[in-house]
Amino acid sequence: MGDDEGRGPVSSMNDISGLPSAGAAAGAYAVALSGVNLSLGCGGASVHILRDSELHIAHGEAVALLGPSGSGKSTLLMVMTGLERPDSGSVIVAGQDLRKLDEDALARFRGTNVGIVFQAFHLIPTMTALENVAVPLELAGEREALVRAERELAAVGLAQRLNHYPAELSGGEQQRVALARALAPNPAIIVADEPTGNLDEATGREIIELMFRGHRERGTTLVLVTHDTALAARCDRVLHMHSGQIAPSLPTPLAGQGREGATGTS
């Protein structure tokens, strides 16, 4: 991984063919969720968050998830990334059946296959921007972690802020660091949960442009949770969630066209 100079900011999507097979049908998708149910709480306080949710996302596809608060969008992302285990159903991501992984294996899987961008930046406050981006690379055994991290930060316009701590960065700069950290391992899949929710409109637009550029240049699969219909229209498909279920979807009018020409921020 460390010797592959082609895996910088403009490299292609990870080859995930070496992962254990979860079946030919599921292997055709970057994400394949089937019959997923999840309840939180116990007894009379139990709340059914996801109800027989079905979701299939192709390799390299960009998909937006829309829906009211409490509809299950963020929970679906948590299941998709292995941060939450469903009560039942099949969860196959990047060719791997997540049900078969223990917590340590899930962490290793996420570190190399899934990049996550949250609304709250979740940077380590005692580490510089460079060190924050290097963390997933170091955990993956990357020998040139700091070199790769510097390259990723330069790609999001922070070449002059490498040694600044999160408290010394603006909100937009912190989200750029978070995006660089998510993209650094060249994951097969990027999931973003309201990534511009804490940013002003202009800054949010810059972050979205960087995220879609990373998606296009690397060929990653992108799953985006947002309340912004204009932003969602930049994706290949828009899915609507209601009461823990995903409604049938159609391709967006902009699918297959130059997404950089579209507008819309959170």
Side-chain angles (χ1 to χ4, degrees):
M1 182 168 149
D3 297 328
D4 187 354
E5 292 301 322
R7 296 186 64 197
V10 294
S11 65
S12 61
M13 182 175 66
N14 283 3
D15 177 8
I16 59 174
S17 58
L19 290 169
S21 174
Y29 298 100
V31 176
L33 276 58
S34 181
V36 171
N37 287 274
L38 176 64
S39 296
L40 299 177
C42 301
S46 178
V47 179
H48 206 165
I49 305 296
L50 299 178
R51 302 171 181 269
D52 294 317
S53 293
E54 302 279 338
L55 176 62
H56 293 81
I57 300 175
H59 297 287
E61 187 178 17
V63 172
L65 282 173
L66 291 173
S69 297
S71 61
K73 305 184 303 298
S74 295
T75 302
L76 191 69
L77 288 194
M78 297 283 280
V79 169
M80 192 185 306
T81 57
L83 291 170
E84 190 76 63
R85 290 187 183 273
D87 300 326
S88 62
S90 173
V91 181
I92 299 172
V93 179
Q96 175 66 62
D97 187 343
L98 300 192
R99 298 170 303 176
K100 297 180 178 179
L101 302 182
D102 61 21
E103 292 304 319
D104 289 340
L106 277 171
R108 290 192 297 271
F109 173 80
R110 277 193 300 271
T112 56
N113 291 280
V114 182
I116 307 174
V117 182
F118 296 101
Q119 178 175 334
F121 317 123
H122 292 299
L123 301 179
I124 301 172
T126 56
M127 289 186 172
T128 64
L130 183 65
E131 291 166 340
N132 266 280
V133 176
V135 166
L137 298 170
E138 291 170 340
L139 291 175
E142 168 63 65
R143 288 176 293 179
E144 298 293 333
L146 290 176
V147 173
R148 285 272 301 278
E150 182 173 353
R151 191 162 63 220
E152 295 291 346
L153 283 167
V156 297
L158 292 180
Q160 306 304 317
R161 308 288 275 173
L162 303 179
N163 297 313
H164 288 68
Y165 291 91
E168 300 172 320
L169 301 173
S170 68
E173 288 172 332
Q174 290 185 61
Q175 192 63 300
R176 285 172 185 253
V177 174
L179 179 59
R181 180 181 58 190
L183 291 170
N186 284 326
I189 300 164
I190 290 287
V191 298
D193 192 357
E194 296 284 1
T196 62
N198 287 339
L199 306 175
D200 62 74
E201 183 176 348
T203 303
R205 184 161 49 245
E206 294 171 357
I207 294 297
I208 291 302
E209 293 301 329
L210 288 169
M211 186 172 64
F212 273 95
R213 188 182 75 186
H215 157 67
R216 290 193 306 271
E217 293 179 348
R218 300 168 194 252
T220 57
T221 301
L222 174 64
V223 185
L224 171 66
V225 164
T226 181
H227 285 94
D228 187 339
T229 56
L231 172 56
R234 295 187 61 165
C235 295
D236 300 310
R237 275 194 297 152
V238 177
L239 303 174
H240 294 265
M241 286 201 72
H242 298 280
S243 301
Q245 292 184 313
I246 301 173
S249 66
L250 293 173
T252 64
L254 295 174
Q257 301 179 21
R259 296 189 193 98
E260 56 268 64
T263 60
T265 64
S266 293

